[in-house]
């Protein structure tokens, strides 16, 4: 499995000198963006740095692993935020790209099969939901390219009834409480 360049360079620096390991603290925790068309306009919304791969378990609850993604809708003053929580099968590891289709059901998108993605939660602002307009996408997909216990990389695509399409990429690290 090839490691992403953003992982290889700091590790190489650490191998050359211990003092270089402090570079790891300077790495962005998350990179990515949404590009495409929104209400007929070209957009580019960067991924917020606090986006992360999350592992949580409350007492008496089943463990939950999900990718928490939040993008900044630049030049869209009426939008507070745009994102998604991608809930994964517990303990999942992906070394070769895998794609899951998403279909609309009532007011949400759902994965067409749950062997990888168990739940899809669209977010807007502080709550669950979708941009209005254009509303719930008519279809979508998520491609997970690389998922380990400590990082996740991939993209998702939303296609809307009005012809708009957003393609959102992400490369996130595990959320580690300090």
């Amino acid at each position: 499995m090839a490691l992403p360049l953003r992982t290889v360079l700091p590790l190489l620096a650490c191998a050359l000198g211990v003092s270089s390991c402090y570079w790891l603290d300077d790495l962005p925790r998350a990179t990515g963006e949404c590009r495409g068309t929104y209400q007929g306009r070209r957009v580019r919304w960067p991924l917020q740095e606090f986006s992360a791969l999350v592992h949580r378990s409350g007492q008496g609850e089943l463990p939950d692993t999900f990718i928490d993604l939040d993008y900044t809708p630049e030049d869209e003053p009426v939008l507070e935020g745009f994102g998604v929580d991608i809930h994964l099968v517990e303990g999942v590891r992906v070394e070769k790209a895998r794609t899951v289709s998403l279909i609309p059901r009532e007011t949400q998108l759902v994965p067409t099969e749950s062997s990888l993605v168990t739940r899809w939660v669209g977010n807007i602002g502080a709550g669950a939901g979708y941009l209005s307009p254009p509303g719930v996408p008519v279809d979508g997909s998520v491609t997970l390219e690389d998922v380990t216990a400590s990082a996740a990389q991939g993209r998702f695509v939303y296609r809307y009834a009005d012809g708009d399409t957003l393609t959102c990429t992400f490369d996130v690290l595990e959320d580690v409480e300090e």
Side-chain angles (χ1 to χ4, degrees):
M1 174 180 89
L3 293 174
L5 187 57
R6 98 177 215 194
T7 302
V8 172
L9 290 177
L11 292 175
L12 181 60
C14 284
L16 295 174
V18 174
S19 65
S20 300
C21 291
Y22 294 106
W23 288 4
L24 290 172
D25 293 336
D26 295 334
L27 281 177
R29 302 244 355 118
T31 59
E33 64 184 5
C34 280
R35 284 185 179 228
T37 52
Y38 169 69
Q39 294 193 330
R41 292 188 325 269
R42 302 285 306 155
V43 298
R44 181 187 164 276
W45 301 336
L47 184 64
Q48 294 179 11
E49 189 172 315
F50 60 81
S51 296
L53 174 65
V54 178
H55 303 283
R56 74 170 176 208
S57 179
Q59 189 172 10
E61 294 179 17
L62 294 173
D64 191 15
T65 298
F66 63 98
I67 304 168
D68 176 20
L69 303 174
D70 294 287
Y71 297 84
T72 303
E74 295 178 340
D75 302 323
E76 298 294 336
V78 296
L79 298 179
E80 296 177 28
F82 168 80
V84 67
D85 293 338
I86 306 168
H87 293 256
L88 304 173
V89 171
E90 197 59 37
V92 69
R93 300 292 180 267
V94 175
E95 294 179 3
K96 182 179 176 187
R98 292 179 56 192
T99 300
V100 173
S101 295
L102 304 168
I103 57 172
R105 184 173 296 149
E106 297 175 15
T107 60
Q108 61 186 352
L109 284 178
V110 296
T112 56
E113 49 96 8
S114 59
S115 64
L116 180 62
V117 177
T118 60
R119 187 168 163 232
W120 187 270
V121 181
N123 299 314
I124 188 69
Y130 294 89
L131 301 172
S132 180
V136 178
V138 293
D139 74 43
S141 64
V142 59
T143 300
L144 297 172
E145 296 165 1
D146 188 23
V147 177
T148 66
S150 60
Q153 182 179 23
R155 69 186 171 283
F156 66 93
V157 177
Y158 281 170
R159 287 181 257 329
Y160 296 96
D162 64 3
D164 288 348
T165 300
L166 290 174
T167 299
C168 304
T169 60
F170 58 90
D171 187 351
V172 296
L173 299 175
E174 178 182 24
D175 184 23
V176 180
E177 306 239 349
E178 296 180 24

